[in-house]
Amino acid sequence: MADSPHLSGELSTPESGAGGVRWRRFALLTVPAIAVTAGLGIALAQGALAASFAVSGQQFKVSASSLEGEGFAQYGSVDVNARNELIPVAVTAIREAKLHDLCQSVVTTLPVIGDISLNLTAGGKTPVEASNLFVDATQLSGDAVFSNIEIGRDASTLNKGPAEAQGMQDLFAQQADTVSITGLHQTAWATNAGTFKLSGLSMNISKGKKECF
């Protein structure tokens, strides 16, 4: 019929005009968002997100005169904060670790009061002991020695660190039988551990900026 709407294999997609829906532009905007959401869902399903909790908006610093570990793995991942924002991190996972002269610090800036520092120290005489230790870091430095290290291994195939220490398939990772680091300095978003034994624990809160390094 002459008055019938035209039917074809394509939808009519006006690019402009009053009330017209810009379908192509809409698709360009929504497809990336859907892809990110799908990727996040896959990461959650595979356990590829690092911390199992929403991280705070503050990083903290950790130092130790030395660290000795058995079963080392390291790979890239992401943390998530309370706003559901993704934060890239390098996960360092150690099956059994000992740290000497551990220091942990975080600085909070409050209205009127200014900077407030929380400092935690332990392991001055007897080393701090941790099992299944995971640190989600953005910076790490020190003098390191590894035994039987594998660099460039697929993150989904790691098997020397804790059982849960695996990243997403095709991503870069490294692992070693043992690791020894002296003069450890690390900036992190989160730390998880199966057990964390802090000998000689001391915690102090003070005004001003007082960090481990």
Side-chain angles (χ1 to χ4, degrees), residues 73-94:
Q74 192 172 64
Y75 53 95
S77 188
V78 290
D79 283 343
V80 182
N81 63 20
R83 296 182 178 86
N84 288 321
E85 297 169 335
L86 303 183
I87 303 169
V89 295
V91 177
T92 298
I94 303 175

Side-chain angles (χ1 to χ4, degrees), residues 72-76 91 149-158 165-168 170-175:
F72 166 87
Q74 192 172 64
Y75 53 95
V91 177
I149 190 169
E150 299 172 356
I151 301 173
R153 181 163 178 145
D154 188 297
S156 67
T157 68
L158 295 170
Q166 290 187 339
M168 295 186 70
D170 296 329
L171 293 188
F172 173 92
Q174 56 187 2
Q175 64 177 6

Side-chain angles (χ1 to χ4, degrees), residues 29-180:
L29 291 173
T30 57
V31 169
I34 293 171
V36 169
T37 302
L40 180 56
I42 292 171
L44 285 165
Q46 294 181 348
L49 293 181
S52 58
F53 51 85
V55 301
S56 75
Q58 295 177 279
Q59 293 192 77
F60 56 92
K61 292 186 176 182
V62 177
S63 68
S65 60
S66 64
L67 177 152
E68 294 87 35
E70 295 183 3
F72 166 87
Q74 192 172 64
Y75 53 95
S77 188
V78 290
D79 283 343
V80 182
N81 63 20
R83 296 182 178 86
N84 288 321
E85 297 169 335
L86 303 183
I87 303 169
V89 295
V91 177
T92 298
I94 303 175
R95 194 172 62 250
E96 298 290 340
K98 292 184 178 181
L99 301 97
H100 297 264
D101 302 311
L102 175 69
C103 173
Q104 178 178 302
S105 65
V106 62
V107 178
T108 301
T109 303
L110 299 175
V112 182
I113 298 175
D115 291 335
I116 299 293
S117 296
L118 186 151
N119 290 77
L120 181 152
T121 59
K125 296 181 179 179
T126 303
V128 170
E129 297 180 4
S131 64
N132 295 329
L133 176 67
F134 289 78
V135 181
D136 304 347
T138 56
Q139 176 271 333
L140 184 151
S141 64
D143 297 319
V145 178
F146 302 91
S147 65
N148 296 322
I149 190 169
E150 299 172 356
I151 301 173
R153 181 163 178 145
D154 188 297
S156 67
T157 68
L158 295 170
N159 58 11
K160 291 189 176 184
E164 300 82 5
Q166 290 187 339
M168 295 186 70
Q169 186 175 341
D170 296 329
L171 293 188
F172 173 92
Q174 56 187 2
Q175 64 177 6
D177 288 344
T178 64
V179 58
S180 176

